[in-house]
Each structure stands twice: as structure tokens, then as C-alpha cells.
Amino acid sequence: MDGQTMPIGQTAGSTDGQSVQERSVTQILLEEKLITQDQYNKLRTESLNSNVSIDRALLDSQVVTEGRYYEARAKLIGIPYVSIAALPFSPEALSFVPKAVAERFIIIPFAYDKERNTLSVAMSDPLDLETVNFLKQKTGAIISTFQAIPADIKTAIQNQYTFGLVGEVKEALAETEQIGVKTFDKRSLAQVIKEAPIAKIVSTILEYAIKSKASDVHLEPQEDRVRVRYRIDGILYERLSLPYQVREAVISRIKILSDMKIDEHRIPQDGRFNFKFGDEEVDLRVSTLPTSFGEKIVMRLLKKSGGVPTLPELGLRGTALRNLEASILRPHGIIIVCGPTGSGKTTTLYSVLSKLNTTRVNILTLEDPVEYQIAGTNQVQINPDVGLTFATGLRAFLRQDPNIILVGEIRDKETTDLAIQASLTGHLVFSTLHTSSASGALPRLFDMGAETFLLASTMNAIVGQRIARRICNHCRRESKPPRELVNELRKTLGELMTTPDDDVKLYKGEGCDYCGHSGYSGRIGIFEVLPVSESVAKLVLTKSDASGIEKQARSEGMITMKQDGYLKVLEGISTIDEILRVAQE
């Protein structure tokens, strides 16, 4: 560790092994139960014997992580702590400090408040007043200091100044300054949005989205800046902060690409365009929304290249996979996939259709909107403005000699009745419902007015699902779980847990450059598949509630979503925190 990070009042060669500051840092760690008294005593002895500070002994011993240590140090000296991995870097802020200066002093600027002329800087040693004064003189700004992990600062300097998203946008912003683009009027805006720097900013934002495998990009005007967030593996991360003065030009550039009206700011608009980066091409669905600080834009990225994943690749296996495959091979009936928005229902249905897609069957889909093109199928996008709804489209489908029908969502009684009618006349029907579990789908259909005797005879199976993040394989580490956690696993899994308690091992991602220091990379589905057996059909006839239906299904061998998730935890695919985040009732 660099000597600059050593607490003030203690040198490497001091022999008392303990200064006021070190004693306080250690005390904070003791109070938060991050180290024990025995560990402290051992470190003090080590410090005296080795003639080094207790600080050095603590960090070298790795009793606590660097993050924990520097959080405690920040608390002690009364300066905020920042996690570099979670920081959005402002290109404007980076332009104040050259890379050579950042490397020399182990600092990195990450935000700039133009109104207050304040530059926020993450430092390895925020108490280094010489460096702070030097920055004041060089930048002419008020310096707001933050404590960060020195190693993380060094990594960020290399990433942000050399290769990163922020570095490339910073260059483009510098060009906008050169051409005098600061404020826009109606006459100049049309020309400005065609300028190379603005096009470069938008292009770089999209390139980063593809490289980071983001599913959505959010551009959100704030009072003094434009926040750029990326949804990666289902979680939003703030990765960039643009100065407010380029807001109109950037948003107008995206609206032109999406074929929207650039002079309409009062109402929401929708559009789409394609973007190619290297060998990858994505279809972007763009939505605008007027907010108090300007128009917010969300871009949904849909890959055009790459095939649809198979059911095992999605995370289906064992009994659940066998039950679903048996249900989809029946010539008629209804199969419903349940879960909240963003739980992967459409992807599961596309996987099923790809499996069933041959020249011998006629497949028709009715979607809102069509997300992926599946060769050999007939895909229709609903258009309520001209009267093409799920109900009217489904009526038309029945005159098109289909074998398999996909209805994007069952939303009302009319669509429910038509789906049941289609299955009764010899068609295999797939659809989705917004319910929290597979067993909750049948009571929801009762509420929509479906006849119980018709549901009992037409339902083949119901799938409940969520998406959990996978542990990053590059930084995955094994750990021994506490006894309470093992008891929770055994209570939930019952006979499904075959590992002896003492042999249970869990895994966690420590965070690395590959996963953006999140500890996760990629996603996997957790599923429950409820086949509508004779016993379940009898419960449908009596309008049983969701708990009664689930109890019967579990007695027949159904594995619940939470159980499926816990099995994936034991296999080292995901973490228990992640499963509870997505599957806890």
C-alpha cells in the first residue's frame, strides 16, 4: 500500500504501535464488529514485533477488506467515502485534471458543479492539504474531497482516461466547446445536432451499452446535468454524467434517429432505429417522456444477431423441464407463463416456439411489440389505434388455419374467452399473465370471468419465473455459510437438499474489471412449472385459492421458484441474496 495512505500522526517506523488516529480507526472497526478484540491484540503484537504501524499490519493481514478499512477511516476524519466502482464519471470533471497529475497524486475527479464551481475528487489521502491546494490553484475550483481505495483510484485512472466511456465522451465534449456549442436556439439547433461531436457522444453511449450487454439506456435530465444510466443484468448503474448544456442537442439527435418530431416536447413519443457496432446489430426501441427538467429518454436494446436460447440455457432442468416439454408436445391446450415485467416471459415463449417451429406447423404470434424475429413464424404487432388489439387479432388468427398461437398477454375477459375457445377447437395456445406465482394464475383467470369447467379441461401447464444474476466466474470465491443460513436452505429445500450441513459451500463474486466490480455477470432464470393434473383440475372446478393449488402441485413433485433458486445457490450459480431479491414473496 502506498505510504501516502498512512494515517496522520503515525509513521511506518513508529514503535508505540498505536496512535490516536489508529486507535480510533480500530475502535470504529471493533464497534462495527468487523474485527474482534483478539484480532486487534494480535495485530498490535505484530505491529510491535515488525516495527510497522498497526495500520500496515491490519491492511497486510487482510483481516478486513480495503473497502471496510477506508470506510472506517473516512468516518474517523469526517470526509465522505465513495466506492469508485459505483461512481458515474463526468467528462467535464476529468478535463480539469490531466492523467499525469491524477497518477502522481493518486486522485481522480468525478463530478463538477458548474453553478457552485465545485470539483469533487476521490483521493487516496484526503488529508493531503498540499495536493488539495495544488488542485485549487490549477483548476480555479473549490475542491470537495472524498476518501476512496487507492487501488481502485489507480484502476479508474487507467480506465477513464484511456479506454472508458467517459474518456471518449470527454473528447467529444471538448470539440463542442471549440465550436462554441453551449446554448441553442431554434435556428442553430438543427445544425448543431448534425455536428460530429454530438453524433460521437450518442454513438459512444450506444457502443458502451452493447459492450456492457445492457438491456436499457436511460438519459435523464437533472437540474444541473444529464444522468446516463445503464440496466445491466437487471440492475441500473449510473455510468456517465453529461453537462446540462448539451442536453437538447443529444436528445434531438436521438429523436431524429428514431424518426420522432424534434420540436414536440409536450407529449411522450415512441420510435425505433437500428445500430451496428462491430459484428453486433441491435434494434433500439426509443421512448421519450416530458419531465420537469426536460425530456427523459429510455432506449431498449434488442439484439438482432444471435439465436434464441434453448430452454436448458435459460435455466430450466430436471422435473420442471420434463413437465414443460410434455405439455408443449400436446396438440392443443393452453400454456401460460407468469411473472412481473422484465422477468423473461417473452424469451421463454420464444425458446418454446423455436423448439416447435417446423415446416409442418403454422405458428402465429400476436405481440406488443414484436421483440425478436423468428424465421418461419408469422408475427403480428398489435396496433390499438387502428383497432388491432389482442382480442381482434386473435379472432382473425382463428381464420388463418393455425396450429400454434401466441398471444402476448391475457389482459381481459374477451381475450381469455377467445384463448379458451381457440384451445377447445384444437389449437395450442401460449400467453403470459402478470401474477407472482404459477398457482396464482388460475385464480386470476377466475377473476377475469373464465368458466371453471372450461379452464379445467383446457389448461396444460403454468410456468412461473424470475431472472437472477449469475455470479461472475472471473472473481467467484467460495465461502462457508453460517449455521442459520444452512438451516434456512434445509427448511426451504427439504428432501431436495442432499448435501450434509457441514459440507455446504456457498459462492460470491468479489468484483473485478470483467463484471464492473458488481460480482455478477450474466443472468439465469429460476422457474416453477405447474402441470394441470387431474387433481389440480378438480381444484380448478371448485375455484380453489392459490395456496391450495400450490400445495397440491408440490405434493405431486413441483419445485417452487424459491427452491429452484436455492438449488442454483448450492451449485454456485447465484447468491442467496440475489434469489431472495427476485423470488421472496
Side-chain angles (χ1 to χ4, degrees):
M1 188 60 54
D2 191 274
Q4 202 173 5
T5 65
M6 195 165 293
I8 295 213
Q10 177 77 30
T11 62
S14 66
T15 56
D16 66 353
Q18 192 176 31
S19 73
V20 174
Q21 180 161 342
E22 283 178 334
R23 191 160 54 243
S24 300
V25 170
T26 310
Q27 188 62 45
I28 288 170
L29 292 171
L30 279 168
E31 286 169 7
E32 295 183 356
K33 298 182 181 177
L34 294 171
I35 63 171
T36 64
Q37 187 65 50
D38 287 344
Q39 286 173 326
Y40 170 72
N41 294 338
K42 186 179 177 184
L43 288 167
R44 188 176 180 190
T45 304
E46 212 172 288
S47 166
L48 291 167
N49 291 339
S50 307
N51 198 29
V52 297
S53 70
I54 196 169
D55 172 32
R56 169 66 69 183
L58 176 63
L59 288 170
D60 288 349
S61 69
Q62 297 183 338
V63 169
V64 293
T65 63
E66 284 187 290
R68 294 288 192 192
Y69 172 78
Y70 283 104
E71 277 186 65
R73 182 171 188 257
K75 193 175 288 186
L76 170 70
I77 61 180
I79 286 176
Y81 172 83
V82 289
S83 171
I84 295 288
L87 277 182
F89 283 88
S90 160
E92 203 172 10
L94 283 172
S95 66
F96 278 92
V97 180
K99 183 182 178 187
V101 173
E103 286 177 325
R104 181 182 169 193
F105 295 108
I106 316 178
I107 61 171
I108 188 163
F110 60 88
Y112 177 60
D113 185 333
K114 194 166 188 176
E115 198 173 298
R116 297 182 178 86
N117 190 30
T118 301
L119 184 67
S120 298
V121 183
M123 303 180 67
S124 60
D125 183 7
L127 294 178
D128 182 356
L129 299 180
E130 283 185 29
T131 300
V132 174
N133 288 331
F134 171 76
L135 289 173
K136 277 182 187 174
Q137 291 170 4
K138 181 170 179 58
T139 63
I142 299 165
I143 306 300
S144 180
T145 58
F146 293 79
Q147 176 73 68
I149 300 171
D152 286 357
I153 294 175
K154 290 174 183 176
T155 302
I157 290 169
Q158 296 309 313
N159 289 342
Q160 299 299 340
Y161 280 95
T162 313
F163 315 107
L165 165 71
V166 175
E168 292 186 40
V169 172
K170 184 181 78 168
E171 291 175 16
L173 284 172
E175 288 182 50
T176 67
E177 293 293 331
Q178 288 167 20
I179 60 174
V181 179
K182 291 196 176 179
T183 56
F184 311 108
D185 55 35
K186 289 183 179 178
R187 289 167 296 178
S188 65
L189 185 60
Q191 179 58 35
V192 166
I193 57 180
K194 296 176 186 174
E195 297 283 358
I198 299 299
K200 174 68 173 172
I201 290 170
V202 173
S203 178
T204 304
I205 287 170
L206 295 176
E207 285 171 15
Y208 183 83
I210 293 173
K211 284 191 284 189
S212 61
K213 298 182 173 64
S215 61
D216 302 85
V217 182
H218 295 237
L219 278 80
E220 301 165 311
Q222 309 285 296
E223 188 173 4
D224 57 349
R225 65 190 178 105
V226 178
R227 180 169 71 171
V228 183
R229 294 195 289 173
Y230 294 85
R231 190 174 293 280
I232 302 169
D233 293 335
I235 305 293
L236 278 171
Y237 296 96
E238 190 172 342
R239 288 286 187 253
L240 181 65
S241 181
L242 295 173
Y244 191 77
Q245 59 263 33
V246 300
R247 171 186 59 88
E248 276 194 63
V250 170
I251 290 172
S252 295
R253 171 74 181 169
I254 294 168
K255 287 168 82 172
I256 282 179
L257 291 171
S258 312
D259 201 22
M260 297 181 194
K261 296 176 181 175
I262 66 166
D263 58 346
E264 179 56 80
H265 309 289
R266 300 163 301 171
I267 59 172
Q269 295 187 71
D270 292 295
R272 65 193 307 165
F273 66 96
N274 291 343
F275 181 78
K276 192 166 186 179
F277 175 61
D279 295 331
E280 290 196 69
E281 187 175 359
V282 293
D283 178 20
L284 289 115
R285 294 208 325 259
V286 185
S287 168
T288 70
L289 183 72
T291 71
S292 54
F293 294 118
E295 287 178 284
K296 170 181 166 135
I297 285 188
V298 175
M299 295 181 279
R300 165 67 58 90
L301 282 77
L302 302 169
K303 276 192 177 180
K304 299 191 81 173
S305 48
V308 176
T310 63
L311 293 172
E313 285 170 350
L314 291 177
L316 271 159
R317 71 269 179 88
T319 307
L321 179 61
R322 287 194 298 274
N323 286 337
L324 182 57
E325 287 180 333
S327 299
I328 66 178
L329 291 176
R330 291 167 66 177
H332 54 82
I334 300 174
I335 295 169
I336 288 178
V337 181
C338 305
T341 302
S343 60
K345 301 186 295 293
T346 304
T347 304
T348 299
L349 288 174
Y350 281 169
S351 296
V352 170
L353 290 187
S354 297
K355 187 176 177 67
L356 297 174
N357 188 14
T358 69
T359 55
R360 296 189 296 277
V361 292
N362 179 21
I363 299 176
L364 296 173
T365 79
L366 192 60
E367 304 172 60
D368 179 25
V370 173
E371 293 194 9
Y372 298 97
Q373 301 291 337
I374 304 176
T377 63
N378 306 282
Q379 295 172 269
V380 178
Q381 181 161 321
I382 71 163
N383 186 352
D385 292 342
V386 296
L388 179 53
T389 63
F390 283 124
T392 56
L394 194 45
R395 276 200 195 87
F397 275 15
L398 296 176
R399 298 190 291 273
Q400 288 283 318
D401 186 31
N403 299 99
I404 297 166
I405 296 171
L406 185 152
V407 185
E409 186 183 342
I410 292 178
R411 294 179 178 172
D412 50 37
K413 184 179 189 304
E414 190 178 8
T415 312
T416 306
D417 291 344
L418 286 166
I420 291 171
Q421 194 59 44
S423 67
L424 287 171
T425 52
H427 304 95
L428 187 58
V429 180
F430 294 94
S431 193
T432 68
L433 261 183
H434 287 282
T435 60
S436 59
S437 64
S439 54
L442 291 164
R444 176 66 60 84
L445 292 170
F446 300 157
D447 293 341
M448 287 186 186
E451 295 289 350
T452 53
F453 66 94
L454 292 177
L455 275 183
S457 59
T458 56
M459 294 297 298
N460 288 0
I462 304 162
V463 180
Q465 71 175 78
R466 299 287 189 280
I467 303 180
R469 292 180 290 171
R470 283 178 176 270
I471 297 171
C472 173
N473 287 326
H474 292 76
C475 60
R476 191 178 78 152
R477 297 290 181 271
E478 181 185 299
S479 66
K480 185 75 177 169
R483 174 62 58 184
E484 304 80 43
L485 203 52
V486 175
N487 292 341
E488 164 66 15
L489 287 166
R490 188 163 293 286
K491 180 184 172 184
T492 302
L493 290 173
E495 295 177 0
L496 295 171
M497 187 168 168
T498 55
T499 311
D501 289 0
D502 292 338
D503 294 340
V504 172
K505 292 172 184 171
L506 300 186
Y507 298 84
K508 190 173 184 179
E510 291 190 335
C512 62
D513 289 343
Y514 183 85
C515 63
H517 297 275
S518 67
Y520 298 96
S521 178
R523 292 194 285 177
I524 192 161
I526 56 173
F527 296 88
E528 60 186 21
V529 177
L530 193 162
V532 182
S533 62
E534 283 187 27
S535 303
V536 173
K538 286 177 184 175
L539 292 175
V540 173
L541 287 171
T542 60
K543 282 197 173 183
S544 175
D545 61 13
S547 59
I549 292 169
E550 181 176 309
K551 186 178 178 183
Q552 179 59 38
R554 289 182 69 171
S555 72
E556 294 175 8
M558 181 185 86
I559 295 173
T560 66
M561 270 186 287
K562 195 172 180 182
Q563 288 177 325
D564 187 36
Y566 278 8
L567 289 171
K568 283 166 178 151
V569 167
L570 290 173
E571 291 171 38
I573 296 171
S574 191
T575 65
I576 198 157
D577 290 343
E578 183 65 9
I579 299 304
L580 290 174
R581 181 180 72 83
V582 299
Q584 186 77 297
E585 290 292 317

